[in-house]
Amino acid sequence: MSDPDATLTSYGMAEDFASAPVLGITVLWHPQRERIGEQMLGPAAGGAISLNRFAPLFARAGAGHEGTPLGERSITREPVHIRFVAEGGIQIDHVRGKMGLELNGRPSNGTDRFTASELERGIVIGLGSQIFVCLHLMRSLPRAANVPGLIGVGDGAIKMREAIAQVAGTNMPVLLLGETGSGKEVAAQAIHALSGRRNGRFVAINMATLSESLAAAELFGAVKGAYTGATSGRRGWFAEAEDGTLFLDEVGDTPASVQAMLLRVLESGDYRPLGAGADARSNARIVAATDQDLGEGGFNQALRRRLEAFVIRVPALRERREDIGVLVRHFLEVEAPGDGWSLPFELLSQVFNGDWPGNVRQLGHAMRRVALDLQAGNVPMLEQSVGMPVVAEVVTPPSAAVSSSSVAASRQVRRKVSEFSDDDLLDAMEKSQWQILAASKALGISRPTVYKLLEAHPRIRFPANISEEEIRAAWTASNGDLQRCASKLMTPAEALRRHVGQLGLDAGVPVSQPGG
């Protein structure tokens, strides 16, 4: 990932509480589902707040009223006291036995203290076995969503939407930085939808799958006879995106020779179709995305500077825990519409406290499996439905001290590439649902290194090297389930998702979801 301090970022807006962030409480889950996402803003550092059945008042941005208390009878009148302590930490006190209180997936001790960094990540509070709220910092006032597809109520979502609204009306290239599954393609589509090019095409390319030998023809087109097998002329992706938006996904994995081609187009707007006698001119707007640090690994730095005309960081889901509730509600209402269902408290606790290495995309897959259980009339099962490990924050009593050795022991040990066998890689990909980023974390190696291992693996292939007939057969046998299809073909899921879309196999099948 690019270091935000080393990479130009162009939000261009004043943060409302930048100098003194205030405490925010967001409703993650409530028996009245329309209340999910409601918020209240508490005190700045040094203040305190009491939380019970009747206070404080929660409201949705733009609702036009003062708000409503949580109000459920399972929440006692006896308040939970929340106050700032030394160095920006938080202490939570409640009377044990009066009401069940869960903090970050663990029962409360009665007095629990959290560090400033834990508060930054968000503290999940379970109240009375029915309601979940997230305690977090707010540096901007709540604002109603004004960008299509980008769901969220916290700082990260607000800043991302405002950055998109700011740049959409320009022709500037945009670089989206964020982990796999965090929503970069959704952000790119939003930029296109809000721009003056909305009536043009939105063309998405996975740059990691480009073949160096055919890259020029795929990007810029070719005339008949330009290369062996070119029995007719072909339009390139730049021509396809004319007057629209060209989305260069995984731009950090672009082959070096292709990077030079892109630089010329971005500098002058001109390109030459393969075998043509004259240049053509591009009017496509460029939006690129990567989960890599373009300042490292030999990426063309002149191209990087061109792409960085405007940079938007798309936060990982674990950095916007306050948004998980509205995302869960969205996915379930799409997949299991109606009011005749509820979710077990234990499952919700897993969902809200999970680390979600696959980000919004992984959450969407999990909720689709939950929806299948709901539609079948079954109680959703934790392991089968969520399908991911839970990483709960440790609740530290005020007297506890964390030693440097215990912190060091909790860090993932990075291993040498030579230590991995082909079976190790295959097992990691299978357990990570064929998501490369998740596999890289599981193995303790970088994402580019995983790519190299995948390319050298005797059984794993990329979609570009699999025949269309084989992909179609596997897609049909998997009933349009992306992860099952990727497992059958032994190919990375992200690259496969792009490929099936290009083959038209996603029509009527939910292979693409928020989180690109």
Side-chain angles (χ1 to χ4, degrees):
M1 270 304 305
S2 293
D3 181 353
D5 294 328
T7 300
L8 174 67
T9 304
S10 309
Y11 288 124
M13 66 195 76
E15 294 181 323
D16 303 303
F17 311 122
S19 59
V22 301
L23 202 59
I25 304 180
T26 297
V27 178
L28 293 176
W29 199 259
H30 195 284
Q32 301 171 38
R33 293 207 301 271
E34 66 275 8
R35 301 204 57 187
I36 296 170
E38 290 184 354
Q39 295 177 299
M40 65 79 56
L41 297 187
I49 192 169
S50 295
L51 174 66
N52 65 9
R53 188 191 307 174
F54 304 111
L57 303 181
F58 293 82
R60 191 176 303 279
H65 60 79
E66 291 185 358
T68 308
L70 293 175
E72 286 296 307
R73 294 181 63 86
S74 63
I75 300 177
T76 63
R77 301 167 186 260
E78 192 75 30
V80 176
H81 297 287
I82 303 168
R83 64 185 179 91
F84 280 100
V85 291
E87 299 180 348
I90 283 287
Q91 183 166 307
I92 300 176
D93 299 288
H94 90 293
V95 179
R96 298 186 66 183
K98 292 285 187 179
M99 173 185 64
L101 187 71
E102 182 183 283
L103 301 175
N104 282 349
R106 298 169 181 265
S108 168
N109 294 319
T111 295
D112 304 87
R113 185 170 290 187
F114 298 84
T115 65
S117 62
E118 288 172 322
L119 178 58
E120 281 284 355
R121 291 193 290 270
I123 300 168
V124 175
I125 304 176
L127 299 160
S129 299
Q130 280 198 344
I131 290 175
F132 284 93
V133 299
C134 182
L135 194 65
H136 57 101
L137 293 176
M138 288 290 285
R139 295 176 173 84
S140 54
L141 286 168
R143 294 170 174 86
N146 60 347
V147 174
L150 290 173
I151 298 169
V153 294
D155 273 338
I158 290 170
K159 290 179 182 179
M160 187 165 51
R161 288 195 295 261
E162 293 194 353
I164 287 171
Q166 181 184 3
V167 76
T170 75
N171 288 318
M172 296 170 67
V174 178
L175 179 62
L176 300 166
L177 301 176
E179 294 180 6
T180 296
S182 57
K184 298 189 294 297
E185 184 166 350
V186 175
Q189 290 170 337
I191 292 170
H192 176 73
L194 293 178
S195 74
R197 300 167 175 268
R198 66 182 66 89
N199 294 324
R201 289 193 61 189
F202 177 87
V203 178
I205 312 167
N206 187 337
M207 303 302 289
T209 64
L210 278 182
S211 162
E212 287 198 60
S213 59
L214 294 177
E218 291 176 328
L219 287 169
F220 308 124
V223 300
K224 180 179 179 180
Y227 56 90
T228 303
T231 56
S232 61
R234 62 177 294 182
R235 301 184 74 198
W237 281 316
F238 273 88
E240 293 284 345
E242 185 71 10
D243 298 320
T245 301
L246 184 61
F247 177 49
L248 308 179
D249 199 7
E250 308 286 1
V251 72
D253 293 313
T254 307
S257 61
V258 180
Q259 292 177 31
M261 300 177 196
L262 289 177
L263 178 59
R264 179 171 183 257
V265 181
L266 266 73
E267 286 179 334
S268 66
D270 296 330
Y271 66 92
R272 180 166 295 193
L274 199 63
D279 285 351
R281 189 161 186 83
S282 170
N283 189 39
R285 200 261 183 85
I286 302 297
V287 178
T290 185
D291 63 354
Q292 299 183 30
D293 185 347
L294 299 186
E296 298 180 354
F299 192 83
N300 186 307
Q301 293 304 290
L303 176 59
R304 173 196 174 190
R305 288 189 287 273
R306 290 286 179 178
L307 294 174
E308 284 185 338
F310 195 99
V311 177
I312 299 175
R313 182 174 179 270
V314 181
L317 187 55
R318 64 181 173 278
E319 298 172 10
R320 44 184 292 218
R321 198 169 297 277
E322 63 273 16
D323 292 338
I324 296 179
V326 291
L327 288 166
V328 167
R329 183 184 66 181
H330 166 74
F331 287 125
L332 291 181
E333 288 181 348
V334 168
E335 298 295 330
D339 298 322
W341 53 262
S342 61
L343 298 179
F345 184 84
E346 294 79 6
L347 182 144
L348 289 168
S349 180
Q350 259 198 337
V351 170
F352 296 136
N353 289 292
D355 196 38
W356 297 110
N359 293 295
V360 179
R361 182 182 299 122
Q362 185 186 11
L363 177 66
H365 287 319
M367 291 305 103
R368 287 179 179 88
R369 294 194 290 274
V370 167
L372 289 176
D373 283 335
L374 293 171
Q375 290 169 332
N378 301 325
V379 176
M381 299 296 291
L382 300 183
E383 293 80 12
Q384 293 178 11
S385 296
V386 178
M388 48 89 61
V390 173
V391 181
E393 303 294 344
V394 176
V395 178
T396 307
S399 59
V402 180
S403 68
S404 59
S405 60
S406 65
V407 172
S410 67
R411 295 191 183 118
Q412 188 177 37
V413 178
R414 301 190 73 86
R415 297 164 59 188
K416 297 179 180 178
V417 175
S418 58
E419 296 177 2
F420 296 107
S421 68
D422 289 340
D423 288 341
D424 288 336
L425 178 63
L426 195 59
D427 183 62
M429 291 297 293
E430 191 66 41
K431 289 180 178 178
S432 302
Q433 298 184 322
W434 289 87
Q435 301 287 340
I436 293 177
L437 180 63
S440 72
K441 291 181 177 180
L443 293 170
I445 56 178
S446 69
R447 192 170 182 273
T449 301
V450 174
Y451 265 107
K452 292 177 182 177
L453 291 174
L454 292 172
E455 291 172 351
H457 199 281
R459 298 172 63 194
I460 296 175
R461 302 170 292 172
F462 282 90
N465 298 321
I466 304 175
S467 70
E468 179 178 336
E469 293 75 18
E470 188 176 354
I471 292 176
R472 289 183 180 276
W475 186 253
T476 300
S478 303
N479 294 319
D481 184 291
L482 184 68
Q483 264 64 45
R484 287 175 56 195
C485 187
S487 180
K488 283 179 177 293
L489 294 170
M490 292 189 180
T491 190
E494 177 62 18
L496 180 62
R497 183 171 71 90
R498 300 263 186 260
H499 212 72
V500 298
Q502 293 169 2
L503 294 176
L505 297 177
D506 56 344
V509 181
V511 299
S512 180
Q513 59 282 324

